[in-house]
Amino acid sequence: MPSTLKRRRAHEVEGWVPKKRQVSLEYDDGPEPSGRDEFDSDEAAVSHAGSPSSEDGEDPPETSYGAEEWGGIGANGDERTVPGQPSTGKVHKPPTGDEVRAIKEAQELFMSSSFKLQIDALLPNIRPKESRKAPLDRFLFALHAYLSALPPVSPQHPLEAARALLAGTLPSDAKGKEKAHRQKDKAPSSQSIAVPFPLPVPTEDANWKVAFQKPVNIAVVGGWINNVVVKSKDEEPWVVDVAVEMPSELFQEKDYMNGRFFHKRAFYIAVLAKYVSDPANKLNVETFYESKKGDPRLTTLILRPKNDDTPTDFSKLNAVVRIIPVLSPSSPIQKARLAPHRSNFRVNSSDSSGSSQENLPTPLYNSAILLASSPQRDVIAVNTLKNEIPAYRDALSLLRVWANQRGYGEGQRLCVRGFEGSGPWWNTVLEALILGEEPHSKIKTKRRPLGKGLSSYQLFKATLDFLSRHDFTQESVFVKSKNGHLFPPEEYSELHEAILVDSSSCVNVLAGVPPTSVEMLKHDARATLEILDGSISTGDPFTEVFLADHREPASRFDIMMIVELSSASLRRPSVHDILDRGSLSNSTLASLPSLLRKALGSRIEALAILHPTSRPRPIAEGLPAGPEKIFIGLILDQEHAFRLVDHGPAAAETQSSAADEFRELWGDKAELRRFQDGSITESVVWNVQGSDERTQIPAMVVRHILARHFGIHGDAVISWQPAFDSLLRLPPSISSHYRAAGFKAALAAFQGLASSIKGFDKELPLAVLNISPVAPELRYTSVFAPVSIPITTARTLPSCARHVPLISLNLEFEKSARWPDDLAAIQKMKMAFLERLAQALTDATPGLHARIAVELPAGVPPIADHVQLEVATPDGWAFALRIWHDREATLLDRILHAPPAANPTSPHEVENARIAHRLYIKRFIAAPRHHRAVAALCHRFVAFGGTVRLVKRWLAAHWLLRLHVSEEAVEVLCGAVFAGAGPASVPTTRERGFARVIRLLRGWQWADGMTVPLYSDSDPAPDVGSSAASGAKGVWVLKTEADPDGRMWTVDGPDHVAAHRIRALAQATHDCLQGMETGVLDVSSIFAHPEDDYDFVVKLQPTVLPRYFQNVAADQAVWMRSGKYANAPPPEKDVPYRPGFDPAEMFLDDLTRIYADTAKFFHDPLGGDRFGAIWDPSVTQPRPFRVMNRFSSTPVAKGKEKGKDKDLVVLNEAGVLSEIVRMGEGLVMA
């Protein structure tokens, strides 16, 4: 689909009307045809191709809504001017009544007038160009003439005839006639032709014969004749279906038995392939077999032009002709013999369970025979609807485009199982909504037919609403028919899993479609309706619904697995099922989704089996090859997906059929267990360690079912969850030293400290009202699960693994009027309070350490909050406590908002107050509120915390976190994927959430900003936007209810350079994630950072970096000691215990401040052992020397002359690098 769509006006409204040609199968002005006389003459043979509507073959001109387009005020027309404005000589013409009516209808019948314009621009670009159809017309003339003159082939034994074709000759009886047929070229074609006999293959003792006669009738069928074809994905060619009616003399009444009809059809199509591929016929096409859905019974002949610039070369149209042999209406095969309950195979064998299979029904086999007589009736049905309902064609096109974007059609990428070649399905769904349903006993709700005056958008949305609500497995749908249906509904309901029977035949268009695929379609329809109804914020809904490619497995499914089928073998194979479905591969792929759905149960909302679509194969290959591997996509139910136990029947029912089915499904995994409530049931228990491994339970279920029922083990099943999980875990050699780890342990430690502090009523001058956590460790979003490192444990750890994170808390004391009114004095008072609190804590808890820390970085005035209490508990948890005093905000507001005449403060003091106020708002107002909102999202969405952690890890691995993107900004960004999505679109695993964030970043337009509904209505939003937005350097705008300006967490970054880098990395990561479709995805490569773009890279000593063990590519040899004893203590006798100490972070902060006008630095805060920088382009170019140039400079050397040019200077790169090495002595590797 082209990226830029050419806008064209709709033809339906008054205006230009294109010329019409008389078309044999376009029944606009005449009666419906009988289906037999479409090609009584050569002229009628190609009229279907939709030749140009003008004689010169040009496309019709673009049209407008009215007979004359309104030019607006000032356009030529009536001589009227706007009152109060001088006359410009232009005439102002108001819109006509028809134009006003068209505008109003666009708003009422479509989502909006702009949405209608987008649809009008889309539709011409998904349909074939009229100017390119002429060569196809000429080819179809030639094909019709050639096929109508083919010589017959006398009856032969099927195997003898097949051997003759495989040898490159026709059966001997036809040689004489073949020679007469080759008058211009006497050399016979020796190309080998395989006959695509389906199962069961004919045997030597077959007492029937195959023959060939020229077609009785040749007709173009399908979407091409009715002009309802839609451009496929991935530049797939247009398909022109040509139905070739086989003479009834070739068949006998009993040919419906044991596949005999399909054997004769296979021979007929092989002979056609033999004739058409003969170079002497001058058709100049390549011939291929194609079997949709991998079913050899549906084999067709594909004709592809050779691109030889002949008059019949239609390669520029990018189309192929598909020849479909069909049954004649006068065929001796009686349709009554093809009812769903009829058994048309005689198999005298039994399966492993001992049940007889001789007379079991063959509904899918019978349906395949019925399909051979339905194409022409489908053409008439679609044409009737198109003529009666003006918007039908456009609605069908929109529906097909929507389906193609989601893998329900052909393409180069994965297709949902069962929807390959599913064109009649979409016609039938619309037909059911428009014509209504036949009443039957199992119908639950009676739906009224849709009105015939609806717009295309309304029909499209009504179809999605129907698909999102209706369960075809529970409630059958029979489209209303004039003469009723051939077979009673009860026969379909008993033998088909999902049922939708069209009006023109007795064919169930959902025959062979797995119920899981229909369930996936229902889920996609529900997700699309959420977009169209405006319940989620996705930007442009038109782009998301019709243009965005939703076939990406990483962002579509919570869990994606690849299964190699080379070792697959059914545990209980059924000969009957294999014959009914056409092949062993189809039988296996039909059993797999049903067993998986039964085992997963309520854990999933939808399951999809995906595989590449069937491709054309050489005519020397008889049978299609089944897919070598399939893809299993799961969409989880977050409430039930990760439960540890699957319950079965109670112990009292152990002898029941339900208990037998449960044990048959789970095998030795099932066992009787007693639970805490006293119940004893058959159950399956999944043993996992930790919350990370618990998210893999659905994948464990899939692996178990594949191993038990299909013999697929080990490496034949690929998933990526463990690889992503490993990125968020510390190395086992380090984590084994920790006493406690996990978010719940950190929360318990916080609760213990908070209760201790609130108990100091006598020790403190004021009572503590509230203690607010503001740390990612306490809201489930820190990259690594928090760990406790007691002082004794820290001394045994290597120096590169001693980092103890500080967990930030805010203290709020009760109100008091005794606080000073001086900002600097308030900071001193805070220090006194914290000193008193430290004394109380150390006295109350033996082994607890507390100290006052003063943080006053450069650029922060003394009147700003800069005092905190660092507390290290005996269990190894470290906290940083700050005091929140609301009086500070009042005093700062007085300085900032005082009238100029009454304000004695200097501009410097005002600027200091502005900095202090911004810090106060961020630290004491926005941070606690943000913490509560993010913690609520983590409880609301099970995958939110893991998604945030993965995105932070990704940004850190690419040297962008903290220096350029704050952790809070990442959390708000991820909130857009969860809080801004509808229930059907919310990820349930961190991997899918990560892919969705990457997809968001690669196309996000910063200038438009992003609004994230992060906060609940019960938590009112403070007006802090103006304070945060002033002086913003960042380009990201993340708006929330509390931050309407969207600058609270992006005021300092990312700037343009970092933002462009993030977008480029997101695009590269997105491309890498597409490796899921081929199984070559290497998760570690997504987090491997390229260093080629930096002007210089500085390597640090990993042994002195306390966080090196967190490095995404950490080398364990750095901390693994060599010696006699592995648990020997380090050589240091007195290891200082310094929570929050990170020399690399402090060093980078100094460099960023010192060289703010010289270079931009990038670093991984999670144990990065190197950092990169790029020079500011403005300082690398020569410039005149000035005092206070703000960067280290050196005179520019003259060209060929000795000496220096004293007027120009340039950046002294060598000097800056030497300064960096000197400042980082002991930290930077020389």
Side-chain angles (χ1 to χ4, degrees), residues 79 114 125 146 159 162-163 332 449 499 542 702 741 811 1044 1062 1089:
E79 296 185 358
S114 61
N125 288 275
Y146 180 73
L159 294 185
R163 284 190 286 266
I499 302 170
F542 179 85
V702 173
L811 296 177
I1062 291 173
H1089 185 58

Side-chain angles (χ1 to χ4, degrees), residues 615-741:
R615 312 308 302 174
R617 63 186 185 276
I619 54 179
E621 297 180 12
L623 297 179
E628 298 179 355
K629 56 186 176 182
I630 61 170
F631 300 75
I632 301 176
L634 305 180
I635 296 179
L636 305 179
D637 183 335
Q638 67 171 4
E639 184 177 352
H640 305 287
F642 309 117
R643 64 173 182 266
L644 296 174
V645 181
D646 286 299
H647 293 279
E653 304 175 14
T654 53
Q655 302 303 320
S656 65
S657 60
D660 293 339
E661 291 179 4
F662 188 84
R663 288 189 290 267
E664 167 63 22
L665 178 65
W666 295 108
D668 56 3
K669 194 76 176 174
E671 57 184 355
L672 275 175
R673 283 213 173 199
R674 181 188 295 272
F675 295 92
Q676 292 181 353
D677 59 357
S679 63
I680 303 175
T681 63
E682 292 276 359
S683 58
V684 175
V685 180
W686 303 95
N687 299 316
V688 297
Q689 297 178 352
S691 59
D692 288 343
E693 190 174 346
R694 186 169 180 172
T695 61
Q696 301 179 28
I697 290 180
M700 295 179 183
V701 174
V702 173
R703 289 179 180 273
H704 177 78
I705 296 299
L706 291 176
R708 171 167 173 76
H709 294 277
F710 301 94
I712 303 174
H713 303 269
D715 296 338
V717 183
I718 304 172
S719 65
W720 290 273
Q721 275 187 292
F724 280 104
D725 289 344
S726 64
L727 295 165
L728 306 179
R729 288 197 298 263
L730 296 174
S733 57
I734 296 296
S735 60
S736 60
H737 293 275
Y738 299 141
R739 177 179 298 181

Side-chain angles (χ1 to χ4, degrees), residues 500-719:
L500 174 60
V501 181
D502 63 12
S503 65
S504 60
S505 70
C506 45
V507 174
N508 175 21
V509 295
L510 285 177
V513 179
T516 54
S517 297
V518 181
E519 195 174 34
M520 185 69 206
L521 177 67
K522 182 177 182 179
H523 178 273
D524 284 335
R526 188 165 62 250
T528 304
L529 285 177
E530 291 174 353
I531 299 173
L532 294 176
D533 292 338
S535 57
I536 59 177
S537 55
T538 57
D540 183 11
F542 179 85
T543 300
E544 191 68 19
V545 172
F546 296 112
L547 301 185
D549 194 339
H550 292 273
R551 296 177 297 170
E552 302 167 359
S555 59
R556 185 179 189 183
F557 298 102
D558 292 312
I559 296 178
M560 188 70 176
M561 307 176 73
I562 298 181
V563 181
E564 296 284 347
L565 296 178
S566 57
S567 61
S569 60
L570 283 170
R571 183 168 176 267
R572 294 183 178 274
S574 169
V575 175
H576 167 269
D577 191 67
I578 294 172
L579 294 176
D580 189 31
R581 297 185 181 276
S583 67
L584 176 61
S585 174
N586 284 347
S587 178
T588 302
L589 293 180
S591 303
L592 194 146
S594 61
L595 286 173
L596 289 180
R597 189 65 180 90
K598 186 177 181 180
L600 290 164
S602 60
R603 293 183 187 272
I604 61 173
E605 292 185 353
L607 178 152
I609 303 296
L610 304 101
H611 54 75
T613 56
S614 302
R615 312 308 302 174
R617 63 186 185 276
I619 54 179
E621 297 180 12
L623 297 179
E628 298 179 355
K629 56 186 176 182
I630 61 170
F631 300 75
I632 301 176
L634 305 180
I635 296 179
L636 305 179
D637 183 335
Q638 67 171 4
E639 184 177 352
H640 305 287
F642 309 117
R643 64 173 182 266
L644 296 174
V645 181
D646 286 299
H647 293 279
E653 304 175 14
T654 53
Q655 302 303 320
S656 65
S657 60
D660 293 339
E661 291 179 4
F662 188 84
R663 288 189 290 267
E664 167 63 22
L665 178 65
W666 295 108
D668 56 3
K669 194 76 176 174
E671 57 184 355
L672 275 175
R673 283 213 173 199
R674 181 188 295 272
F675 295 92
Q676 292 181 353
D677 59 357
S679 63
I680 303 175
T681 63
E682 292 276 359
S683 58
V684 175
V685 180
W686 303 95
N687 299 316
V688 297
Q689 297 178 352
S691 59
D692 288 343
E693 190 174 346
R694 186 169 180 172
T695 61
Q696 301 179 28
I697 290 180
M700 295 179 183
V701 174
V702 173
R703 289 179 180 273
H704 177 78
I705 296 299
L706 291 176
R708 171 167 173 76
H709 294 277
F710 301 94
I712 303 174
H713 303 269
D715 296 338
V717 183
I718 304 172
S719 65

Side-chain angles (χ1 to χ4, degrees), residues 929-1203:
R929 179 188 178 88
H930 175 83
H931 181 95
R932 292 191 298 270
V934 171
L937 286 180
C938 289
H939 289 292
R940 181 181 170 191
F941 305 111
V942 295
F944 178 75
T947 298
V948 173
R949 296 169 64 193
L950 267 180
V951 175
K952 286 182 180 179
R953 182 63 154 168
W954 177 76
L955 287 170
H958 292 294
W959 303 3
L960 291 160
L961 190 66
R962 198 186 75 83
L963 279 180
H964 300 280
V965 184
S966 66
E967 293 196 39
E968 292 82 1
V970 177
E971 292 162 354
V972 175
L973 185 69
C974 295
V977 173
F978 288 84
S985 304
V986 174
T988 311
T989 58
R990 64 186 65 167
E991 297 79 23
R992 183 186 178 196
F994 171 75
R996 295 284 293 274
V997 174
I998 294 299
R999 182 181 176 184
L1000 174 66
L1001 287 173
R1002 64 186 282 262
W1004 180 29
Q1005 301 296 326
W1006 319 311
D1008 299 336
M1010 182 186 302
T1011 301
V1012 183
L1014 193 64
Y1015 303 101
S1016 62
D1017 296 336
S1018 59
D1019 203 358
D1023 186 12
V1024 299
S1026 58
S1027 298
S1030 57
K1033 295 183 295 183
V1035 297
W1036 280 8
V1037 179
L1038 298 172
K1039 301 178 183 179
T1040 63
E1041 302 92 329
D1043 182 17
D1045 294 322
R1047 298 289 189 176
M1048 177 56 66
W1049 308 114
T1050 60
V1051 63
D1052 296 320
D1055 58 10
H1056 279 89
V1057 174
H1060 280 288
R1061 186 175 291 265
I1062 291 173
R1063 177 182 290 173
L1065 289 169
Q1067 181 62 55
T1069 301
H1070 176 269
D1071 295 341
C1072 190
L1073 286 172
Q1074 303 314 305
M1076 276 191 179
E1077 298 188 35
T1078 57
V1080 297
L1081 173 62
D1082 181 8
V1083 175
S1084 61
S1085 64
I1086 297 176
F1087 295 83
H1089 185 58
E1091 302 177 6
D1092 300 336
D1093 296 332
Y1094 297 104
D1095 292 323
F1096 65 90
V1097 176
V1098 177
K1099 185 169 178 57
L1100 307 177
Q1101 291 281 3
T1103 56
V1104 299
L1105 300 177
R1107 303 186 71 167
Y1108 177 73
F1109 69 106
Q1110 298 177 351
N1111 193 303
V1112 71
D1115 183 5
Q1116 296 192 19
V1118 175
W1119 64 76
M1120 298 297 288
R1121 306 188 192 98
S1122 59
K1124 184 176 180 180
Y1125 303 103
N1127 61 345
E1132 299 93 340
K1133 295 182 179 180
D1134 188 13
V1135 177
Y1137 188 74
R1138 295 177 289 195
F1141 176 69
D1142 187 353
E1145 180 180 312
M1146 299 166 66
F1147 182 47
L1148 263 294
D1149 288 341
D1150 286 341
L1151 293 180
T1152 302
R1153 175 178 53 85
I1154 295 170
Y1155 299 108
D1157 300 312
T1158 303
K1160 192 174 295 295
F1161 293 89
F1162 300 85
H1163 173 61
D1164 181 2
L1166 301 177
D1169 61 340
R1170 51 174 54 86
F1171 64 85
I1174 57 175
W1175 301 116
D1176 188 331
S1178 63
V1179 301
T1180 57
Q1181 301 297 325
R1183 62 167 63 182
F1185 173 77
R1186 291 189 182 91
V1187 179
M1188 300 298 291
N1189 244 347
R1190 301 181 67 87
F1191 67 94
S1192 177
S1193 60
T1194 182
V1196 177
K1198 295 182 179 179
K1200 297 182 179 180
E1201 302 177 4
K1202 296 182 179 180

